[in-house]
Amino acid sequence: MYADVVARRIENLSNMCDERARMLQDQFNVSTNHVHALAILVSTFHHGKNPSAIHQKTFEDFTARTTFERPLMSGVAYALKVLHSEREQFEQQHGWKIKKMEAGDQSLVHDYNPEKLEPSPVQDEYAPVIFSQETVKHIISIDMMSGKEDHDNILRSRATGRGALTSPFKLLKSNHLGVVLTFAVYKYDLPPNATPEERIHATLGYLGASFDVPSLVDKLLEQLASKQKIVVKLYDTTNHTSPIKMYGSDFSSSGDLQRISNIDFGDPTRKHEMHCRFKYEP
Ligand code: WA2
């Protein structure tokens, strides 16, 4: 029966789409947990010890050796909360100036040169990166509050005490769309009902991870059998009337069968969907 064949195709597509959505969600979840653990590591061994037991070299070694724990992250970094009144002392102590993030042409792969970045203009506060994984070393000394997506994410993570995820945007020194996940690091343990003001006051810094969507989703989908059969697209549907495509293989699809599987990346203010179709077979 024709109806039978159609029903089986629908079920088949649904199963494949759900499996992929679930895999991506699970890998994102384990990566998130490990980024959270890194925030606790910095709290314990950098802020909790005098002298600090973490510097760029230890951070680089540790994050390189634990990349397997963060399969969807292209790099992690730690930015410090620096008030304007502390800026001069901070810059003297580190031997470099806090730099401004440049959007547009500076972020193109070819001519990106952190040495040439401008000092950050005067602000109430800054979030200069002091430690980074080797893969994102180019963001050291950059004020992450000078980039809109990073800025909003920093404010939201510290006010809530939860992991915050940005909308998709073009990452520095990459031609790809990505998202950034941020956890705030606090001076002391805060009760779950702490107010945003108490949290902001107790904030010491921000542990962030970048997710280079196209390359890491490709890598994930390649591990699956029957990759050749379906076309997968990933959307940020937080704003339902204007979804943002984060990933889409550029094969043409066939037929009108489409399966939409939901994905939960752990930030309740963001919504994501995976859209799957059968690949066109001539
Ligand atoms: N990390 C890597 N590449 C980026 C980026 C970023 N943010 N922003 C733009 N391109 C240190 O939330 C604090 C990481 C930001 C954390």
Side-chain angles (χ1 to χ4, degrees), residues 77 79 101 129 136 139 144 150 154 169 171-172 180 182 206 208 210:
M101 194 190 294
V129 171
V136 289
I139 65 171
M144 297 320 279
D150 280 293
I154 281 171
F169 69 106
L171 298 174
L172 289 170
V180 169
T182 304
Y206 320 96
S210 48

Side-chain angles (χ1 to χ4, degrees), residues 7-200:
R8 234 181 298 122
R9 270 174 70 82
I10 293 175
E11 197 191 329
N12 205 235
L13 182 64
S14 303
N15 288 342
M16 284 198 289
C17 200
D18 289 355
E19 185 195 9
R20 280 153 182 78
R22 174 77 81 85
M23 248 179 97
L24 187 60
Q25 178 176 302
D26 288 352
Q27 288 214 359
F28 196 86
N29 185 248
V30 297
S31 304
T32 297
N33 288 345
H34 197 260
V35 173
H36 191 176
L38 277 178
I40 297 169
L41 179 97
V42 167
S43 161
T44 309
F45 295 101
H46 180 59
H47 297 293
K49 274 187 164 296
N50 195 2
S52 162
I54 300 183
H55 39 77
Q56 175 55 23
K57 176 78 173 66
T58 28
F59 192 86
E60 227 179 278
D61 289 347
F62 186 82
T63 53
R65 293 176 63 191
T66 53
T67 45
F68 67 92
E69 298 268 23
R70 305 176 303 273
L72 288 181
M73 301 305 174
S74 50
V76 294
Y78 183 63
L80 205 63
K81 178 186 177 193
V82 177
L83 299 178
H84 184 67
S85 57
E86 304 161 335
R87 177 174 184 167
E88 209 177 299
Q89 203 206 334
F90 173 89
E91 290 183 334
Q92 248 163 35
Q93 190 190 327
H94 286 81
W96 44 254
K97 301 268 185 233
I98 300 176
K99 314 276 197 329
K100 181 169 174 251
M101 194 190 294
E102 288 284 345
D105 42 13
Q106 270 284 356
S107 61
L108 287 176
V109 181
H110 339 284
D111 56 8
Y112 182 87
N113 182 0
E115 298 290 303
K116 283 197 202 146
L117 291 175
E118 303 274 326
S120 171
V122 172
Q123 304 286 339
D124 291 346
E125 58 172 308
Y126 314 87
V129 171
I130 59 166
F131 303 138
S132 88
Q133 189 170 344
E134 203 274 327
T135 51
V136 289
K137 229 174 169 168
H138 52 277
I139 65 171
I140 287 186
S141 84
I142 295 179
D143 170 22
M144 297 320 279
M145 284 182 125
S146 59
K148 191 196 179 301
E149 288 83 1
D150 280 293
H151 173 269
D152 294 355
N153 223 41
I154 281 171
L155 296 191
R156 208 153 57 78
S157 68
R158 74 182 186 186
T160 61
R162 309 195 42 176
L165 195 62
T166 63
S167 309
F169 69 106
K170 206 163 86 50
L171 298 174
L172 289 170
K173 215 183 161 190
S174 157
N175 275 326
H176 296 163
L177 271 192
V179 293
V180 169
L181 169 73
T182 304
F183 280 94
V185 170
Y186 300 104
K187 240 176 262 179
Y188 34 80
D189 253 340
L190 287 147
N193 63 349
T195 64
E197 292 70 31
E198 287 171 322
R199 293 192 172 277
I200 293 165

Side-chain angles (χ1 to χ4, degrees), residues 202-217:
T203 300
L204 293 173
Y206 320 96
L207 200 291
S210 48
F211 172 15
D212 178 318
V213 177
S215 60
L216 296 169
V217 172

Side-chain angles (χ1 to χ4, degrees), residues 192-259:
N193 63 349
T195 64
E197 292 70 31
E198 287 171 322
R199 293 192 172 277
I200 293 165
H201 179 74
T203 300
L204 293 173
Y206 320 96
L207 200 291
S210 48
F211 172 15
D212 178 318
V213 177
S215 60
L216 296 169
V217 172
D218 261 350
K219 205 168 110 187
L220 176 88
L221 294 177
E222 261 157 31
Q223 298 162 11
L224 287 168
S226 64
K227 179 190 183 246
Q228 64 286 358
K229 274 205 201 146
I230 71 167
V231 179
V232 173
K233 295 193 161 85
L234 181 67
Y235 291 90
D236 180 316
T237 54
T238 306
N239 180 348
H240 209 80
T241 53
S242 56
I244 304 167
K245 188 165 106 173
M246 301 167 71
Y247 173 85
S249 41
D250 21 66
F251 296 99
S252 51
S253 49
S254 71
D256 42 13
L257 271 194
Q258 178 173 235
R259 167 70 174 188

